[in-house]
Amino acid sequence: MDSMKQRLYKDRYKLLIIIILAGIMMLTMIKTLRHPVSELIWTSVGGYSLSFLRPVTIILFGILIGGFLFLCYCIKRLKVEQIFIFMGIIFGILYMVVLPPFTTPDEAVHVDTTYYYSSKILGQQAVDENGYVLYRSGDVVYNHDEQHIPTAQSYAILYHNLFKMDHSDGTVNFLRAPLSVSAIAYVPQIIGVALARLFHLGNIQMLLWGRMFTMAFYLLCLYWTIKIAPIGKELLMVVALMPTTLQMAVSFSYDSTVLALCFLYTGVLLYLTLEAKSVTWHHIVLLALLFAWAAPAKLVYVGLAFTLLIIPGEKFAKRYWKYVSVAIVIFAGAVMILLTRFQTVVTIGSSTGGMLAEQTTYNLSYLLHNPSKILAVLYGTIIGQGTYYLETMIGQYLGWLEIILPGYIVYGFYTLIVLAAIRKVSEEQVLSAGQRLWIFLVIAGVSVLVGAALLFDWTPIESNYVYGVQGRYFLPMLPLLMILCKNYQIEMKESMTRYIAVALYVLQYLTVYHVYVTIIGR
């Protein structure tokens, strides 16, 4: 009893901060219940009553506050990967419902493509005579045309149709064709949707099952990434739980799969470079599979395989195997690209431009004849769009970029990323100057490829900056880039893991709160 009193006295200031934060959370719940919830529960939209908002709001905040208190109670006994999986499950589930289906950019076409492949698996007709994806007639309950900008009505449709089953006989299309992307980019999503259809689950449950399997795959990959990474565990956790990252992780987008695979690659790379005694053929096969899996969705990220050259040569059975291994990994990705996206590769070098039908876009031939234009576009993109890339990478603009988070939340995430990038005393190894320089050059090269892809596809020749680039396209490289900041000159005497985790939870709490209030207020 005396020892408990001593511990409480010793941690009295920390305990006071926890009580204050929990109290603030309670106040935000009360404020939300009083306004706007109390003003909505007596109304209806689209024939649906909004009376459910009061209990749903209480449950939402109850989960958030209960999770915060549980984290604070158990945090001393949890490893970083365990903290991640705890917060990942809580916020993954909340993001999955607070940001309804079709809320994330282009999610509708990813749902179409997933549904198309699930029909193939189930032996059903996948498209009509015009190439449009065929859905069950009951799937008209919730569709992209009405719900891509979420409102209180979006929640009402979800709530009132959540447990409905589907026994419809006919089919319907939404005049959308599937993407020409390989099914391997949608494996988790396809499994979820196929199982939901097999069990005759209704439209809402089907969409949530697809998201749930996507989220589970992402969390599993990131758990192992953080577990095996010898350095940067906190950094990986922060990046993996940022608003933009989580939004993509729980969506139908193949970006979720790509992010999970690229983050896992980062963990394996750091493990092989700093901790593993030797590199075996098992490691090379794993790396080749990772790149072959991710390549059909995002061709440019295959270039990250060149970072394997930082692995010391003595860890290979023979030094030349280091270069052979890199070649094998790149070859695996290249072969998968040629098998699944050959036409896309051909288009890049064509003179006809990209996806803009009404204007001529940049192409390789034009740039070769006008090399000065390259520098003009590069300068215009960095100076004119650099801040926007940082904001959309963290998550200031969620949904279809129409849900805007307050600046203090975004700056909070910036701060956590910087703190997590500082070396802890327990991190005895860091990358050498040569290794860091090489990684930086590879990341710069891949970033240029990201810009080039959108330059050829979306950017009119008259423009002096690249169209269509968002910060989320640089997320696969962010952990590796920030790990370059770890050095022996700056270190933390005390581990900041607990403080970073609690601050991360609070920032995500504020994010969920702001998104929820924004949507129900529409």
Side-chain angles (χ1 to χ4, degrees):
M1 191 69 177
D2 291 337
S3 61
M4 182 179 294
K5 289 182 179 179
Q6 291 175 355
R7 286 199 301 269
L8 289 174
Y9 181 79
K10 181 181 178 181
D11 296 333
R12 61 189 183 281
Y13 296 116
K14 296 177 183 177
L15 186 60
L16 179 61
I17 292 174
I18 292 171
I19 292 172
I20 292 173
L21 289 174
I24 293 174
M25 293 178 183
M26 286 293 295
L27 289 175
T28 57
M29 180 182 73
I30 294 171
K31 180 178 180 295
T32 305
L33 287 170
R34 293 184 63 182
H35 174 78
V37 170
S38 63
E39 300 173 2
L40 294 172
I41 58 176
W42 306 111
T43 63
S44 62
V45 290
Y48 294 103
S49 169
L50 296 179
S51 60
F52 69 91
L53 282 178
R54 177 175 288 169
V56 165
T57 301
I58 293 173
I59 293 172
L60 171 65
F61 281 90
I63 293 172
L64 286 168
I65 297 171
F68 174 73
L69 295 175
F70 181 81
L71 176 66
C72 293
Y73 177 75
C74 297
I75 197 167
K76 290 184 178 180
R77 300 188 292 272
L78 297 177
K79 297 180 180 179
V80 180
E81 61 269 21
Q82 294 170 330
I83 296 173
F84 163 77
I85 204 70
F86 171 75
M87 287 200 287
I89 291 173
I90 287 182
F91 289 108
I93 292 173
L94 293 180
Y95 267 61
M96 194 165 60
V97 293
V98 172
L99 289 166
F102 305 124
T103 298
T104 58
D106 303 317
E107 189 170 11
V109 292
H110 296 297
V111 173
D112 294 334
T113 309
T114 299
Y115 202 96
Y116 166 80
Y117 284 121
S118 72
S119 294
K120 292 281 190 180
I121 291 175
L122 297 173
Q124 300 178 10
Q125 184 179 351
V127 295
D128 63 9
E129 63 276 7
N130 298 314
Y132 298 136
V133 178
L134 288 174
Y135 284 83
R136 305 171 301 184
S137 58
D139 289 323
V140 297
V141 170
Y142 199 95
N143 65 79
H144 165 264
D145 297 330
E146 299 174 355
Q147 304 302 334
H148 68 288
I149 304 297
T151 64
Q153 182 177 348
S154 305
Y155 290 149
I157 297 173
L158 286 175
Y159 179 83
H160 290 286
N161 295 279
L162 180 59
F163 297 107
K164 289 186 177 180
M165 305 296 287
D166 182 88
H167 298 289
S168 57
D169 296 324
T171 58
V172 65
N173 72 68
F174 298 113
L175 303 180
R176 297 193 302 263
L179 294 174
S180 57
V181 178
S182 172
I184 66 172
Y186 295 97
V187 171
Q189 297 93 316
I190 293 171
I191 294 173
V193 170
L195 287 174
R197 293 176 62 185
L198 193 63
F199 294 134
H200 300 287
L201 300 182
N203 177 238
I204 303 301
Q205 290 189 62
M206 180 197 71
L207 293 170
L208 293 179
W209 271 49
R211 282 182 156 206
M212 180 177 64
F213 274 77
T214 308
M215 180 190 76
F217 177 77
Y218 175 83
L219 294 181
L220 181 63
C221 286
L222 266 296
Y223 174 84
W224 285 108
T225 299
I226 296 171
K227 186 177 179 64
I228 66 175
I231 62 174
K233 292 179 182 289
E234 293 83 3
L235 178 62
L236 286 162
M237 177 179 67
V238 172
V239 173
L241 294 176
M242 293 191 310
T244 297
T245 320
L246 261 187
Q247 174 181 258
M248 302 312 300
V250 301
S251 76
F252 274 81
S253 174
Y254 52 54
D255 284 346
S256 175
T257 305
V258 172
L259 279 174
L261 296 173
C262 287
F263 288 161
L264 182 56
Y265 165 72
T266 299
V268 174
L269 173 67
L270 294 173
Y271 169 76
L272 294 178
T273 303
L274 299 175
E275 190 167 297
K277 294 181 179 180
S278 62
V279 179
T280 67
W281 67 269
H282 298 90
H283 297 131
I284 303 306
V285 170
L286 172 61
L287 292 168
L289 288 174
L290 291 177
F291 278 96
W293 194 345
K298 296 288 186 180
L299 287 62
V300 295
Y301 296 139
V302 173
L304 290 175
F306 284 104
T307 57
L308 290 171
L309 292 174
I310 70 168
I311 301 175
E314 58 268 19
K315 292 194 175 187
F316 294 83
K318 296 181 179 179
R319 281 188 173 269
Y320 70 85
W321 269 105
K322 173 178 177 177
Y323 305 99
V324 173
S325 299
V326 175
I328 290 172
V329 172
I330 295 175
F331 180 74
V335 168
M336 191 59 71
I337 289 172
L338 292 176
L339 290 175
T340 60
R341 303 292 296 276
F342 179 74
Q343 189 56 47
T344 302
V345 176
V346 173
T347 302
I348 290 176
S350 71
S351 59
T352 57
M355 298 177 67
L356 290 182
E358 69 279 4
Q359 300 182 62
T360 302
T361 61
Y362 281 92
N363 58 72
L364 195 57
S365 175
Y366 175 82
L367 291 178
L368 291 175
H369 288 87
N370 300 273
S372 61
K373 194 68 174 178
I374 299 175
L375 294 177
V377 172
L378 183 63
Y379 177 82
T381 300
I382 294 174
I383 300 302
Q385 301 294 108
T387 301
Y388 173 76
Y389 295 161
L390 290 174
E391 292 170 345
T392 52
M393 181 168 60
I394 298 295
Q396 182 156 20
Y397 305 98
L398 296 178
W400 282 74
L401 306 182
E402 94 291 348
I403 301 175
I404 304 175
L405 296 182
Y408 70 87
I409 295 179
V410 179
Y411 294 135
F413 280 105
Y414 286 147
T415 303
L416 288 187
I417 290 174
V418 172
L419 289 175
I422 300 175
R423 184 180 70 87
K424 300 183 300 182
V425 175
S426 60
E427 294 176 327
E428 298 179 356
Q429 299 185 74
V430 297
L431 298 174
S432 68
Q435 291 170 325
R436 281 182 280 175
L437 175 61
W438 178 248
I439 289 177
F440 178 80
L441 292 175
V442 172
I443 290 176
V446 173
S447 299
V448 170
L449 291 178
V450 169
L454 275 299
L455 183 72
F456 296 140
D457 259 358
W458 288 103
T459 309
I461 286 181
E462 296 79 14
S463 173
N464 284 325
Y465 69 91
V466 180
Y467 280 22
V469 178
Q470 296 178 25
R472 61 190 173 96
Y473 300 150
F474 304 103
L475 279 173
M477 299 171 281
L478 180 59
L480 202 52
L481 179 65
M482 295 307 299
I483 282 174
L484 303 186
C485 299
K486 290 183 179 290
N487 56 75
Y488 291 115
Q489 285 69 47
I490 303 175
E491 67 176 19
M492 285 187 178
K493 296 295 185 182
E494 181 182 355
S495 174
M496 292 287 288
T497 301
R498 287 176 289 171
Y499 305 105
I500 289 173
V502 171
L504 180 59
Y505 192 102
V506 171
L507 288 172
Q508 274 296 359
Y509 171 91
L510 293 170
T511 300
V512 172
Y513 161 73
H514 184 80
V515 170
Y516 180 68
V517 170
T518 299
I519 293 176
I520 64 175
R522 288 172 170 172

